[in-house]
């Protein structure tokens, strides 16, 4: 190896120091850093140098100022680094295997609808920045609600019988289009689906399919839900009737009825629309004619540990209609818990039973009377406020008092309660 000796000035004089440098030493072998989501591979060399000369299978590939390189081809990679004394020797090679993949995207839209004429457009793109799909195909078979008229495409060929659009090669970033002209039939399925696929692995399959349909109809979808009661008991089976109705003025397609189990409910059964099931109600009414009504029956058990109001809600909607009145007549049913009034309170400040606690009972009003029938205390929207005081905040003496409790502004319970002022 070549050697260098240097004169070094020290203070006002000179001294000879011999420095020995290995100019031709090879760089360290690169290592695989990351296999990226787009199937490229990032390799890294030792950091701290101003320039890196990369080789693939012994041939110079690229020069960079960073210590990393994104590669898209399998082979043996080596590197030279720029040291202060010059370019190093080539590192030992690193064998890298790249497995190409693609990200095929498809978007489908209805770009024209004029009376019974409709045109669908399909746009496909290879979103992978490095790899080409050589065998790209789209499947778009018209559903029964349409009759094929003609098609145009920017590449390949579309077969109406199979619904296959043969694209062939789709390079990184390449976009192609297919337009299908058809007529709307009086009946059938009006949702038009399209999907794209190829030979290489597709890392993002969420954008491999799309659908389009014709302009939504106008229909007032309505629902009523009721279990015929106001109060519930823990563990009780509640029986709901759900009525789904189309008030018009046009028929509704693909009406989705959804009734999720409220809270931590674990037991629920339902039937309706010639179907039945357990757990959450999720059903699709294919066609709901004007003034047509479909009834569902739902039975569920109130959990033993449920606290407060028990609210059960049904939703009725369709992606294929415009609902001029989206609010329904009674989509939610609310039951409140049955409860008992404590027989007494002991407001002595020990933190136990100091207040008349009716939290979660939805008490709209409470009135307390003394033994002579005179009102001594009252409060609207009562929760946990009475500790044996009158309306002026003065402590009432120990003794028997009487109450009237209102729920939803109706009398719920009357009775007596003892106030016991014990010594702490």
């Amino acid at each position: 190896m070549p050697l260098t000796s240097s004169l070094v000035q020290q203070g006002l004089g000179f001294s000879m120091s011999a420095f020995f440098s290995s100019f031709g030493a090879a760089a360290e072998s690169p290592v695989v850093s990351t296999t990226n989501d787009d199937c490229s591979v990032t390799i890294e060399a030792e950091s701290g140098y101003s320039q890196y000369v990369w080789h693939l299978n012994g041939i110079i590939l690229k020069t960079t100022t960073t210590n990393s390189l994104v590669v898209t081809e399998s082979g043996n990679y080596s590197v030279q680094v720029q040291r202060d004394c010059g370019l190093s020797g080539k590192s030992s090679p690193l064998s890298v295997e790249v497995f190409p993949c693609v990200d095929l995207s498809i978007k489908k839209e209805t770009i024209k609808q004029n009376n019974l004429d409709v045109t669908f457009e399909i746009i496909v793109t290879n979103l992978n920045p490095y790899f080409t799909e050589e065998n790209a195909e789209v499947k778009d078979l018209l559903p029964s609600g349409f009759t094929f008229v003609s098609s145009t495409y920017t590449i390949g060929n579309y077969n109406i019988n199979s619904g296959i659009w043969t694209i062939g090669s789709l390079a990184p970033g390449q976009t192609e289009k297919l337009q299908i002209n058809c007529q709307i039939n009086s009946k059938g399925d009006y949702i038009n689906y399209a999907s794209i696929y190829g030979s290489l692995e597709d890392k993002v399959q969420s954008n491999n399919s799309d659908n389009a349909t014709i302009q939504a109809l106008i229909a007032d979808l309505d629902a009523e839900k009721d279990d015929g009661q106001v109060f519930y008991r823990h563990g009780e089976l509640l029986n709901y009737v759900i009525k789904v109705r189309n008030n018009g003025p046009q028929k509704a397609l693909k009406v989705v009825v959804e009734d999720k189990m409220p809270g931590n409910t674990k037991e629920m059964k339902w039937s309706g629309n010639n179907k039945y099931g357990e757990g959450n109600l999720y059903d699709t009414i294919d066609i709901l004619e004007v003034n047509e009504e479909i009834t569902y029956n739902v039975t569920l058990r109130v959990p033993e540990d449920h606290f407060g109001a028990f609210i059960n809600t049904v939703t009725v909607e369709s992606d294929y209609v415009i609902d001029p009145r989206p609010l329904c007549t009674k989509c939610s049913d609310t039951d409140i818990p049955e409860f008992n009034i404590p027989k007494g309170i002991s407001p002595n400040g020990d933190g136990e039973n100091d207040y008349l606690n009716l939290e979660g009972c939805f008490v709209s009003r409470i009135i307390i009377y003394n033994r002579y029938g005179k009102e001594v205390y009252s409060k609207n929207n009562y929760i946990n406020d009475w500790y044996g005081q009158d309306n002026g905040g003065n402590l009432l003496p120990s003794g028997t008092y009487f109450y009237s409790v209102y729920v939803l502004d109706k009398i719920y319970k009357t009775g007596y309660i003892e106030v016991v002022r014990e010594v702490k």
Side-chain angles (χ1 to χ4, degrees):
M1 294 183 184
L3 301 178
T4 296
S5 63
S6 303
L7 283 175
V8 179
Q9 183 176 355
Q10 294 181 340
L12 298 178
F14 294 88
S15 66
M16 177 71 72
S17 298
F19 293 88
F20 302 96
S21 301
S22 178
F23 285 89
E28 291 188 12
S29 177
V31 295
V32 175
S33 174
T34 307
T35 299
N36 304 310
D37 291 340
D38 56 22
C39 294
S40 63
V41 175
T42 300
I43 60 177
E44 288 187 359
E46 182 183 4
S47 62
Y49 298 99
S50 60
Q51 194 175 69
Y52 298 81
V53 181
W54 303 90
H55 300 256
L56 171 58
N57 298 328
I59 300 173
I60 292 179
L61 176 66
K62 189 174 185 180
T63 299
T64 66
T65 57
T66 61
N67 68 319
S68 63
L69 180 70
V70 176
V71 300
T72 59
E73 183 179 350
S74 297
N76 296 313
Y77 289 85
S78 56
V79 66
Q80 292 176 281
V81 298
Q82 182 67 50
R83 294 178 173 146
D84 292 340
C85 53
L87 195 62
S88 73
K90 278 195 296 185
S91 69
S92 58
L94 170 71
S95 177
V96 175
E97 191 168 4
V98 177
F99 299 94
C101 68
V102 289
D103 178 7
L104 301 180
S105 168
I106 187 168
K107 184 177 181 181
K108 181 164 191 173
E109 292 182 311
T110 304
I111 62 171
K112 169 191 165 186
Q113 183 177 342
N114 182 19
N115 295 326
L116 294 179
D117 298 322
V118 62
T119 299
F120 296 108
E121 182 177 71
I122 299 96
I123 301 175
V124 298
T125 305
N126 180 3
L127 298 177
N128 187 285
Y130 300 111
F131 303 106
T132 296
E133 172 56 68
E134 297 291 351
N135 300 292
E137 288 186 346
V138 168
K139 184 167 186 179
D140 184 352
L141 190 61
L142 282 178
S144 59
F146 303 98
T147 297
F148 177 80
V149 176
S150 64
S151 64
T152 59
Y153 32 83
T154 58
I155 193 173
N157 181 63
Y158 177 67
N159 187 317
I160 180 57
N161 296 316
S162 64
I164 300 297
W165 174 26
T166 304
I167 299 171
S169 178
L170 200 61
Q174 183 178 349
T175 294
E176 302 295 344
K177 294 181 182 180
L178 164 67
Q179 290 186 354
I180 302 175
N181 304 304
C182 51
Q183 281 199 324
I184 303 171
N185 299 328
S186 59
K187 331 180 148 172
D189 186 0
Y190 299 97
I191 308 174
N192 193 357
Y193 296 91
S195 58
I196 186 169
Y197 49 89
S199 300
L200 295 178
E201 179 185 5
D202 194 324
K203 288 289 189 178
V204 185
Q205 298 188 10
S206 59
N207 58 2
N208 291 165
S209 61
D210 199 6
N211 65 79
T213 187
I214 54 178
Q215 184 177 0
L217 301 170
I218 298 175
D220 176 18
L221 299 176
D222 196 13
E224 288 186 61
K225 179 171 188 174
D226 195 3
D227 66 352
Q229 62 188 72
V230 175
F231 299 96
Y232 73 83
R233 298 184 305 276
H234 291 95
E236 180 181 5
L237 275 175
L238 302 180
N239 297 294
Y240 296 90
V241 176
I242 301 172
K243 296 181 179 180
V244 178
R245 181 179 177 85
N246 179 9
N247 294 323
Q250 294 175 290
K251 67 181 179 180
L253 305 175
K254 303 295 182 182
V255 179
V256 176
V257 181
E258 186 171 14
D259 183 10
K260 294 182 179 179
M261 294 189 292
N264 54 351
T265 303
K266 295 182 174 58
E267 181 181 342
M268 175 169 157
K269 296 181 180 180
W270 62 270
S271 63
N273 195 26
N274 298 316
K275 304 168 191 173
Y276 61 90
E278 296 186 5
N280 294 329
L281 162 59
Y282 187 92
D283 185 42
T284 300
I285 303 171
D286 290 331
I287 301 176
L288 192 62
E289 300 288 351
V290 177
N291 295 326
E292 184 180 3
E293 184 175 274
I294 292 181
T295 299
Y296 294 86
N297 294 286
V298 176
T299 300
L300 60 84
R301 190 178 300 279
V302 180
E304 294 286 352
D305 58 352
H306 184 79
F307 179 80
F310 193 75
I311 303 173
N312 199 349
T313 301
V314 63
T315 59
V316 178
E317 58 187 8
S318 171
D319 291 336
Y320 312 109
V321 302
I322 298 173
D323 193 337
R325 287 181 287 273
L327 297 179
C328 56
T329 300
K330 189 174 181 291
C331 283
S332 291
D333 182 89
T334 301
D335 293 343
I336 59 179
E338 290 187 353
F339 61 93
N340 295 316
I341 308 298
K343 295 298 185 183
I345 60 173
S346 54
N348 58 5
D350 64 356
E352 296 183 6
N353 201 33
D354 288 331
Y355 293 83
L356 175 57
N357 187 359
L358 299 180
E359 183 179 0
C361 298
F362 301 89
V363 175
S364 55
R365 182 172 174 78
I366 188 172
I367 303 175
I368 305 293
Y369 308 89
N370 63 18
R371 60 179 178 169
Y372 302 110
K374 180 182 177 182
E375 177 183 322
V376 293
Y377 177 82
S378 65
K379 191 175 192 310
N380 293 330
N381 300 318
Y382 182 86
I383 298 177
N384 183 21
D385 307 276
W386 192 58
Y387 53 90
Q389 80 277 21
D390 63 16
N391 284 324
N394 303 306
L395 296 181
L396 297 168
S398 296
T400 302
Y401 294 84
F402 300 88
Y403 59 80
S404 294
V405 172
Y406 294 76
V407 174
L408 303 179
D409 297 323
K410 295 181 181 179
I411 191 73
Y412 175 66
K413 283 183 184 291
T414 61
Y416 70 91
I417 184 170
E418 298 285 343
V419 175
V420 181
R421 298 192 180 279
E422 300 174 345
V423 178
K424 292 191 289 182

